[in-house]
Amino acid sequence: MDFITVPAYDNDPDPVVEFVEEKLARYDCPPKALYQIQVAIEEILVNIVSYAQLAHDDRIEIRCEVLDGPLRVVLQFLDAGVPFDPLDREDPDTSPDALMESEGGLGIFMVKQMMDEVSYSYEGGKNTLTIQKGLEG
């Protein structure tokens, strides 16, 4: 599994998106799936940088693997921040009135809606959020 690390203080998704796009280039990834993966990367990085309480010199590791049968990409986001399961929250109320007063939770909700699988674990002092997305059109 290939990986990239990025600074814990920088939620710029571009280096991670480019890394993943390079991995997916040979697989003829459907544009919609690629867009959803890009959005998920951005939302997850913003959440980690905003809430993990990482030190300025900490790094976030992003692992990427493409699997067959069916063809799909698996991304893992690892950080050494405070243990936090973003999936252990109720989905936000997405009614128009509630969205105007929202206090967060929409990013992870979007990730859960766009990805085929989303899971969380905390092992060895690391938060690991894993997302999977099918690549077959």
Side-chain angles (χ1 to χ4, degrees):
M1 185 177 288
D2 292 333
F3 70 93
I4 184 174
T5 63
V6 295
Y9 59 83
D10 185 4
N11 61 13
D12 176 10
D14 290 345
V16 179
V17 168
E18 290 171 12
F19 165 72
V20 172
E21 286 176 345
E22 285 178 19
K23 289 283 292 177
L24 298 179
R26 68 184 133 212
Y27 295 101
D28 198 27
C29 181
K32 180 180 178 182
L34 185 58
Y35 173 75
Q36 290 174 328
I37 292 165
Q38 293 167 340
V39 170
I41 289 168
E42 181 173 359
E43 292 298 332
I44 292 168
L45 286 176
V46 165
N47 272 297
I48 293 171
V49 170
S50 299
Y51 303 114
Q53 300 176 20
L54 294 163
H56 188 74
D57 59 346
D58 281 340
R59 312 269 309 162
I60 301 166
E61 180 178 326
I62 300 91
R63 298 175 182 171
C64 180
E65 184 173 22
V66 178
L67 303 173
D68 289 325
L71 189 63
R72 63 199 183 282
V73 64
V74 178
L75 296 172
Q76 292 182 312
F77 296 79
L78 295 88
D79 69 79
V82 296
F84 176 70
D85 181 354
L87 307 177
D88 192 28
R89 299 179 65 170
E90 282 190 38
D91 288 339
D93 181 350
T94 56
S95 66
D97 290 339
L99 287 175
M100 296 298 288
E101 299 176 13
S102 178
E103 292 186 19
L106 288 176
I108 292 298
F109 175 72
M110 288 188 340
V111 170
K112 288 166 46 177
Q113 297 302 307
M114 292 185 297
M115 296 297 106
D116 298 329
E117 290 184 39
V118 182
S119 61
Y120 167 84
S121 66
Y122 184 81
E123 296 175 22
K126 299 247 185 207
N127 291 293
T128 302
L129 186 67
T130 303
I131 61 173
Q132 290 191 39
K133 182 69 178 174
L135 300 179
E136 296 176 345

